[in-house]
Amino acid sequence: MKAKSLSSVTRSIDLTYPTNRAITVVTLLFFFVTAGFQFASGKDVFPALYSGLRAGISVFFAWAFAREIDPDNELSAFVAAFTGCIGFMFFSSPLLLALLLELMIIRIINRSKGLPARTMDSLVVLLLSSWILLQGGWIFCVLAFLAFVLDAFLPEPNRSPQIFAGALFLALSLSVRFLFFSGNEREKIIIQGTGLPIFILTAVLLFIPLIFNSRTVTSKGDLIGIPLNPLRVQTAQMMALLSIVLPAVLQGWSGVESLIPLWGAVFGVSIYGDSKLLFKKLIMVLVRQR
């Protein structure tokens, strides 16, 4: 990825890079296959194209999330794209704005471009999370608030967005008052999901080794060419894990569906990393037995 914009959280796709060309092809392929299948199933052209667009975006987001939470392994992102594709087949209505917000806050924390978030980045996160909050997505507003707070205390702290964190805290306070004291039962939290605890626990257990193995990071920031800070990368990984677990615990399977590409990324990089680790251990055992 090569960054050329004024933002510190947006990353452009350099099509001269082989893996970027590959994910572009995979995204377009999934778009056309899904749209074609929907059209063949009897849907009109525009609904079919919209389904294909949502499918392509979901697979791309799974790949993009994986590049952020596992920056040292480019191939793991393609495993994530595959698991994201499988996830979309079962949960076909992710919240695209929530996915965009999650990608931005993860980049604010890990600083994959190498620089702190700029005022415009923080403003976009504030506006986006506030809009989602108005639609009832208070959980994503909490995650955005945490991202601002963490960014102010991690190595090379960025305290300039504190005013945005304060604005989000105020919005959340008003939202909590409405949710729990308005008498509107439809807005209250419902914990649900048969089999969901096993699904969540599996994701957590598979992902933990990646967090521990990220104590050293060789990937460099796009703009400065200096290796990413391992603590920031690990914190971004934990934020990604919290981002999928919290909606799932509080909203059940609908919470899973809202961020299914991020689930695909977590499972994808975990499967890749754990398989790689097991393969290395197997090789060591075989060598010792000789």
Side-chain angles (χ1 to χ4, degrees), residues 5-21:
S5 69
L6 296 176
S7 169
S8 293
V9 298
T10 59
R11 305 178 74 186
S12 60
I13 299 295
D14 182 3
L15 293 181
T16 63
Y17 203 64
T19 56
N20 290 352
R21 290 199 303 270

Side-chain angles (χ1 to χ4, degrees), residues 66-84:
R67 293 299 296 122
E68 300 299 329
I69 61 179
D70 190 18
D72 282 351
N73 295 296
E74 292 183 339
L75 294 181
S76 69
F78 290 93
V79 181
F82 177 74
T83 52

Side-chain angles (χ1 to χ4, degrees), residues 5-249:
S5 69
L6 296 176
S7 169
S8 293
V9 298
T10 59
R11 305 178 74 186
S12 60
I13 299 295
D14 182 3
L15 293 181
T16 63
Y17 203 64
T19 56
N20 290 352
R21 290 199 303 270
I23 191 57
T24 301
V25 171
V26 170
T27 299
L28 290 174
L29 181 63
F30 197 51
F31 162 72
F32 285 116
V33 169
T34 303
F37 179 79
Q38 294 293 326
F39 183 72
S41 300
K43 281 192 175 182
D44 293 334
V45 175
F46 287 109
L49 289 176
Y50 179 71
S51 296
L53 180 62
R54 185 181 288 272
I57 290 176
S58 296
V59 171
F60 179 81
F61 264 116
W63 176 84
F65 278 124
R67 293 299 296 122
E68 300 299 329
I69 61 179
D70 190 18
D72 282 351
N73 295 296
E74 292 183 339
L75 294 181
S76 69
F78 290 93
V79 181
F82 177 74
T83 52
C85 172
I86 295 176
F88 182 81
M89 294 179 182
F90 293 93
F91 302 98
S92 59
S93 298
L95 300 179
L96 299 184
L97 288 180
L99 291 171
L100 178 59
L101 176 64
E102 284 298 319
L103 190 60
M104 293 183 71
I105 65 178
I106 288 175
R107 287 176 177 172
I108 284 176
I109 296 172
N110 70 4
R111 293 189 184 172
S112 53
K113 285 186 69 169
L115 296 176
R118 300 181 179 177
T119 301
M120 184 56 67
D121 298 322
S122 300
L123 179 60
V124 171
V125 169
L126 173 63
L127 294 176
L128 189 56
S129 57
S130 298
W131 174 257
I132 296 174
L133 176 63
L134 290 175
Q135 312 305 311
W138 63 270
I139 295 175
F140 303 106
C141 197
V142 170
L143 296 171
F145 170 75
L146 287 176
F148 284 137
V149 173
L150 289 169
D151 193 31
F153 288 96
L154 286 167
E156 299 181 15
N158 179 21
R159 295 190 172 91
S160 59
Q162 286 183 349
I163 186 173
F164 298 103
L168 282 178
F169 182 79
L170 178 60
L172 281 168
S173 300
L174 295 174
S175 175
V176 168
R177 185 181 185 283
F178 172 77
L179 287 174
F180 294 99
F181 298 102
S182 66
N184 189 346
E185 297 295 330
R186 294 177 301 173
E187 298 293 337
K188 293 189 178 180
I189 298 170
I190 300 175
I191 299 177
Q192 57 174 309
T194 302
L196 187 57
I198 297 176
F199 186 72
I200 296 173
L201 183 61
T202 300
V204 171
L205 293 178
L206 288 175
F207 194 64
I208 285 177
L210 177 67
I211 299 176
F212 282 108
N213 291 331
S214 298
R215 287 172 290 184
T216 58
V217 179
T218 60
S219 296
K220 300 177 180 180
D222 294 340
L223 296 179
I224 61 176
I226 298 176
L228 304 180
N229 184 284
L231 182 57
R232 279 190 168 272
V233 172
Q234 289 178 308
T235 305
Q237 292 168 340
M238 289 186 280
M239 172 62 78
L241 196 59
L242 178 65
S243 297
I244 60 174
V245 170
L246 191 59
V249 169

